[in-house]
Amino acid sequence: MIRVRSVRAVSIWLGVALAVTVPIAVAAASPLLQWRDPIYIAACFAGIIALALVFAQPLLAGGYLPEVSIRKGRRVHSFVGVLLVTAVLVHLVGLWITSPPDVVDALLFRSPTPFSVWGVLAMWAVFAAAILAALRLRLRLSPRIWRLGHTGLAVVTVIGSVVHALLIEGTMGTGSKVLLCALALAATLKVVLDLRSWTLLTRARR
Amino acid sequence: MTLYPITRRTLVLAGAAAGAMAMPGLPGLTVPARAQGLAPTQTMRGGANNYLPGAPIVERIGGGGFWMTGTVRRAGDGAPLEGIRIQIWAHTTEGRENDPHSHGATLTAADGTFRLEMPQIVPVFGQPHGHLAYDDEAFETVFLRPVMASASDTSLSADFVLQPA
């Protein structure tokens, strides 16, 4: 029994590790990197790492990673949340240094590229989700309202990040990118279903 | 040969037809007809990003290998425009969009076409794209930002229809 569980645990961890490392490795081998300067490359990888963290967050929140209980997972989830916000800021600042007008257009929602709208949407959603988490105790919201808000913002973050990533023609490989995005969506859907975040909505209707 | 008597109806119809035929020859009076002429090209969003005014006219930008082509015509009658300076820049294998050496300009030929050789454009900010500008006195300024169908394309084209300033 213990053996079976550990085999399952090892395969889950291995799968998650591969889903996160393969896209980064594929991007690191991209020929586009030779025509980009270090700051732009750092910005690109901050974006890819942020996407990987977007996949990790629902796994931690739902306690789906073997040997990481839901209680421990929540603590790691907060820490990863800080990393995620940091990665998004590095992504933004790096792109800003590389081409200020393109980033200004994106932030003002007047960019010619649709993916930047999704990226900026995901950015504001993740910032709001993080601020809501940081002020959880101070705001004295009921747990249900808090969870509905945090989950709602997280869902916007995941969808925005996935669409943003899929529409971009950049350093990421198509196969590993699509797989990571599909896993992030699946993990988010599962945690939202499992934690029944919408209870507040269904109750209010009665 | 049958003679048709000139009735009031035929006179009105003939007059209307003659008036309609005469209209295109009177530019000041042809507000609806102008809409049927060639409309000026609108500046594309993001077209002016990383523009450095006054790019020099060059034989080619850098080592070449990629062709930027297009046409320049006058709004309304669509007449090809000769000697129009088109400025071109992009993120290429040899430099970033905001590097001065990524910028160059060329003049249109008598048939309104232009072509400038430049280094291979590579995807940047999520799309393989180029930038073109018309920014001189005679016509209204236009900035274009065409996107390549595939990053492996070795040419890109953009057409300008300019509105006299």
Side-chain angles (χ1 to χ4, degrees):
Chain A
M1 195 63 196
I2 289 166
R3 225 181 91 82
V4 172
R5 245 163 71 186
S6 66
V7 167
R8 184 180 139 82
V10 168
S11 20
I12 290 177
W13 271 106
L14 195 67
V16 170
L18 284 175
V20 168
T21 52
V22 169
I24 296 173
V26 169
S30 167
L32 293 182
L33 295 177
Q34 62 189 304
W35 303 302
R36 297 183 177 193
D37 62 15
I39 291 173
Y40 190 21
I41 292 171
C44 296
F45 279 93
I48 300 167
I49 289 165
L51 184 62
L53 297 179
V54 161
F55 166 51
Q57 284 297 63
L59 299 179
L60 291 164
Y64 302 136
L65 293 173
E67 307 311 315
V68 182
S69 65
I70 203 156
R71 196 181 178 81
K72 197 167 157 192
R74 293 286 162 83
R75 280 208 305 276
V76 185
H77 181 85
S78 329
F79 176 70
V80 171
V82 173
L83 284 183
L84 175 55
V85 168
T86 310
V88 170
L89 287 172
V90 172
H91 184 59
L92 181 72
V93 171
L95 294 180
W96 192 310
I97 294 169
T98 304
S99 182
D102 286 310
V103 173
V104 170
D105 282 354
L107 291 175
L108 297 178
F109 294 107
R110 62 174 193 209
S111 169
T113 51
F115 61 76
S116 61
V117 174
W118 293 94
V120 172
L121 184 75
M123 179 191 79
W124 288 120
V126 78
F127 288 174
I131 289 167
L132 200 60
L135 300 178
R136 181 178 195 167
L137 297 176
R138 203 174 299 170
L139 288 175
R140 291 187 189 158
L141 297 172
S142 83
R144 270 198 213 93
I145 292 180
W146 186 87
R147 174 171 287 180
L148 183 68
H150 187 74
T151 311
L153 291 166
V155 167
V156 174
T157 304
V158 176
I159 293 172
S161 307
V162 163
V163 178
H164 177 67
L166 291 178
L167 291 175
I168 286 177
E169 186 168 354
T171 54
M172 291 189 85
T174 309
S176 61
K177 178 165 74 177
V178 169
L179 188 64
L180 181 58
C181 288
L183 287 170
L185 285 176
T188 307
L189 185 67
K190 179 165 171 54
V191 79
V192 168
L193 293 177
D194 286 357
L195 297 181
R196 303 174 56 80
S197 305
W198 63 86
T199 48
L200 188 79
L201 295 176
T202 50
R203 285 201 175 183
R205 217 177 291 153
R206 278 174 204 165
Chain B
M1 191 176 169
T2 317
L3 284 170
Y4 291 97
I6 297 171
T7 62
R8 184 172 171 276
R9 179 176 293 171
T10 53
L11 189 64
V12 168
L13 282 173
M21 279 157 67
M23 291 254 285
L26 301 167
L29 301 172
T30 53
V31 177
R34 184 178 287 172
Q36 292 173 351
L38 198 57
T41 310
Q42 299 297 309
T43 283
M44 291 178 179
R45 282 198 285 173
N49 287 359
N50 295 313
Y51 175 52
L52 301 175
I57 291 167
V58 290
E59 280 297 303
R60 79 163 89 80
I61 302 173
F66 182 97
W67 285 96
M68 184 71 90
T69 63
T71 60
V72 181
R73 287 178 295 164
R74 185 165 55 207
D77 63 3
L81 295 170
E82 184 182 5
I84 298 292
R85 183 176 65 139
I86 298 298
Q87 303 179 57
I88 294 165
W89 69 102
H91 185 102
T92 69
T93 53
E94 294 179 18
R96 307 188 317 185
E97 277 181 11
N98 47 11
D99 291 331
H101 68 260
S102 298
H103 293 242
T106 190
L107 296 174
T108 54
D111 62 353
T113 61
F114 66 89
R115 61 197 308 250
L116 183 62
E117 198 179 4
M118 59 190 289
Q120 176 68 39
I121 292 180
V122 289
V124 68
F125 273 77
Q127 285 179 329
H129 66 276
H131 292 268
L132 301 95
Y134 167 80
D135 186 20
D136 286 313
E137 304 299 318
F139 298 89
E140 301 285 348
T141 299
V142 176
F143 288 100
L144 300 182
R145 183 190 177 281
V147 176
M148 285 150 65
S150 158
S152 55
D153 288 355
T154 54
S155 69
L156 183 60
S157 75
D159 297 321
F160 289 80
V161 176
L162 299 177
Q163 179 76 43

